[in-house]
Amino acid sequence: MEIFRSIRNLLRFGSSRFDGPMLFFMFLLFGMGIIVMFSASVIPAEREFSDSYYYLRKQLLWGAVGLFLFLIFCQIPYQFLVKWSFVFSLISLLLLVAVFIPGLGKSVGTSYGRSFNRWIQIAGFQIQPSEFAKISILLFASYFFYNFDFKKIKWDQKKITSLVVIFLTLLLIVIEPAFGTTVELLLVLFFFVLLAGFPMKRLFILGASVIPLLVVLVTQVGYRKKRLEIWLDPYKFRFDEGHQLVTSFRAFFDGGTSGKAIGTGYAHRYLAYSHTDFVLSSYVEDFGFVGFCFFLFVVLFLTVRVFLLLQKTKDKLGYFLGAGILILFGFQTILNLFVITGIVPVTGISLPFLSYGGSSLLTIFILFGILANITCKENLVV
């Protein structure tokens, strides 16, 4: 009986300044990510750098920086960040433009004959501006929509400028191209419009009107069209472009109920991006169906906990911003899961807290720092 009382006290909202269960499961996800990322990266690191610990050291470094940023942002009032969101958005736009500047931006060619411009080289470090653009868009759009009255729309210069900034940010991300990130941000904006009180019927009609554009972007762009063909029949391309998806399927099959000996599976040796976008495939190969269910439990608990916390926030602005962060986290997780299981075509989308990558890890730590501030005890009705 005493145990249940202790658990109830731990789960009680507002029992401490920052919500303990949310922070525990957030750091649990990051810890799981370090383990599986290291397992998945040993062979690629040895193959590329003759150093099995190369990716582990870099991820731990980014994790330390991310933790530092988390501690900073959970102390900064989110109202202050929103107040300066226009400045952050302009900085984000400059960084997105910088990826196309020779000598500063890094262009990577693909087997489809398309170049990707997603990274900036600064002092020996490589950052991905589209990841940090998620933060600026969330801050800026939450402020724009939370006090937007669709019944009394007055298109002044400030509102038009705000829409132009949001549009330019999305346009630059599409041009990079980073289609997965664009879809993420569009979904967040869709929910912001919904939360702001736009009539649902009209909203879905508006959303449906965008579908033809998305179809054109998928079917008429060379590398996306090829990805669609691979998705429809990956085994037809299993010896070239489809090898990644087919190997992911095998990782799920080989994992069985309880997994294989850590780091010994087929996917660890032959799955491209096994420590980045496809890290969950390596995780399932290591820990099997049981491990996969545990991962789902952790993500679902964290998502539900944040959702319940947001229901108790005093401030509408905090609710909007927190909801945007939650939607981004949830959708990114679901989209990554759908990609590696072949439910949707392959697109570059990282798994929050688990995938290797400094920009994505720093971004998610910053967002959860903001979320911790929004849901801190003084901002809740308890």
Side-chain angles (χ1 to χ4, degrees):
M1 197 67 178
E2 188 65 32
I3 295 176
F4 289 110
R5 189 178 295 111
S6 299
I7 294 174
R8 187 179 63 183
N9 289 334
L10 285 172
L11 294 176
R12 185 165 54 88
F13 297 108
S15 58
S16 58
R17 188 188 175 197
F18 298 111
D19 190 67
M22 182 186 76
L23 298 184
F24 174 79
F25 278 86
M26 182 195 79
F27 286 112
L28 178 59
L29 264 184
F30 175 60
M32 291 166 60
I34 290 295
I35 294 171
V36 68
M37 193 286 304
F38 176 52
S39 169
S41 68
V42 168
I43 294 176
E46 183 65 34
R47 183 188 302 137
E48 296 171 27
F49 303 101
S50 299
D51 180 2
S52 302
Y53 298 92
Y54 177 82
Y55 290 115
L56 175 64
R57 282 198 299 270
K58 293 197 71 174
Q59 190 76 342
L60 287 173
L61 174 62
W62 288 120
V65 176
L67 177 58
F68 176 72
L69 291 173
F70 170 82
L71 294 174
I72 290 177
F73 277 88
C74 70
Q75 300 292 338
I76 301 175
Y78 63 89
Q79 296 92 340
F80 173 82
L81 296 174
V82 169
K83 181 180 178 180
W84 288 90
S85 60
F86 182 71
V87 175
F88 298 147
S89 297
L90 292 180
I91 294 172
S92 181
L93 279 174
L94 291 175
L95 290 174
L96 287 170
V97 170
V99 302
F100 300 101
I101 299 175
L104 184 59
K106 180 182 178 182
S107 178
V108 177
T110 70
S111 58
Y112 308 116
R114 178 72 181 268
S115 294
F116 286 71
N117 300 277
R118 297 178 180 173
W119 300 272
I120 295 175
Q121 297 274 15
I122 300 177
F125 291 94
Q126 186 171 292
I127 65 170
Q128 192 171 349
S130 59
E131 285 292 326
F132 297 109
K134 296 176 183 178
I135 304 171
S136 62
I137 283 286
L138 281 168
L139 291 170
F140 192 60
S142 62
Y143 178 70
F144 176 79
F145 284 108
Y146 104 97
N147 59 1
F148 196 96
D149 188 352
F150 285 102
K151 296 179 181 178
K152 301 177 182 178
I153 300 178
K154 294 181 179 180
W155 293 106
D156 53 24
Q157 184 178 355
K158 187 176 180 180
K159 286 186 174 64
I160 294 173
T161 302
S162 299
L163 288 178
V164 169
V165 169
I166 293 173
F167 173 77
L168 287 177
T169 301
L170 293 174
L171 179 64
L172 287 170
I173 294 174
V174 168
I175 295 173
E176 285 188 358
F179 189 67
T181 301
T182 307
V183 172
E184 278 186 84
L185 294 176
L186 283 174
L187 184 74
V188 171
L189 293 174
F190 175 86
F191 275 95
F192 275 154
V193 172
L194 187 63
L195 289 172
F198 193 82
M200 189 173 294
K201 184 178 179 181
R202 294 182 182 179
L203 182 60
F204 278 99
I205 292 174
L206 181 64
S209 67
V210 178
I211 293 177
L213 175 61
L214 294 177
V215 171
V216 170
L217 287 174
V218 170
T219 60
Q220 300 304 313
V221 178
Y223 82 96
R224 292 195 191 111
K225 185 177 180 181
K226 185 67 174 181
R227 285 181 175 180
L228 186 61
E229 294 175 358
I230 295 168
W231 173 63
L232 292 173
D233 189 2
Y235 287 93
K236 178 181 177 180
F237 303 92
R238 63 186 180 276
F239 297 117
D240 40 67
E241 293 99 334
H243 176 74
Q244 186 179 22
L245 192 54
V246 171
T247 306
S248 179
F249 294 161
R250 177 168 175 173
F252 274 79
F253 179 80
D254 289 351
T257 302
S258 56
K260 300 171 69 71
I262 293 179
T264 63
Y266 179 86
H268 286 70
R269 299 192 299 275
Y270 302 111
L271 176 61
Y273 308 109
S274 60
H275 57 298
T276 56
D277 298 348
F278 280 72
V279 70
L280 192 59
S281 301
S282 301
Y283 172 84
V284 174
E285 190 175 55
D286 282 339
F287 299 100
F289 181 71
V290 173
F292 181 66
C293 289
F294 179 72
F295 165 78
L296 289 181
F297 167 76
V298 173
V299 171
L300 285 173
F301 183 95
L302 181 58
T303 303
V304 172
R305 184 69 182 184
V306 172
F307 175 79
L308 294 176
L309 284 165
L310 291 175
Q311 299 304 305
K312 295 182 175 293
T313 53
K314 298 176 182 178
D315 182 31
K316 183 181 177 182
L317 174 60
Y319 177 79
F320 262 67
L321 179 55
I325 295 172
L326 180 61
I327 291 166
L328 187 75
F329 168 75
F331 180 70
Q332 188 168 333
T333 302
I334 292 172
L335 183 58
N336 180 274
L337 178 59
F338 280 7
V339 165
I340 67 171
T341 54
I343 297 175
V344 298
V346 172
T347 184
I349 198 79
S350 61
L351 185 60
F353 291 114
L354 273 77
S355 291
Y356 171 80
S359 298
S360 60
L361 188 58
L362 295 186
T363 297
I364 198 66
F365 265 122
I366 291 172
L367 289 176
F368 266 79
I370 297 171
L371 196 56
N373 183 267
I374 293 171
T375 58
C376 67
K377 186 176 182 178
E378 51 264 36
N379 292 332
L380 299 179
V381 177
V382 292

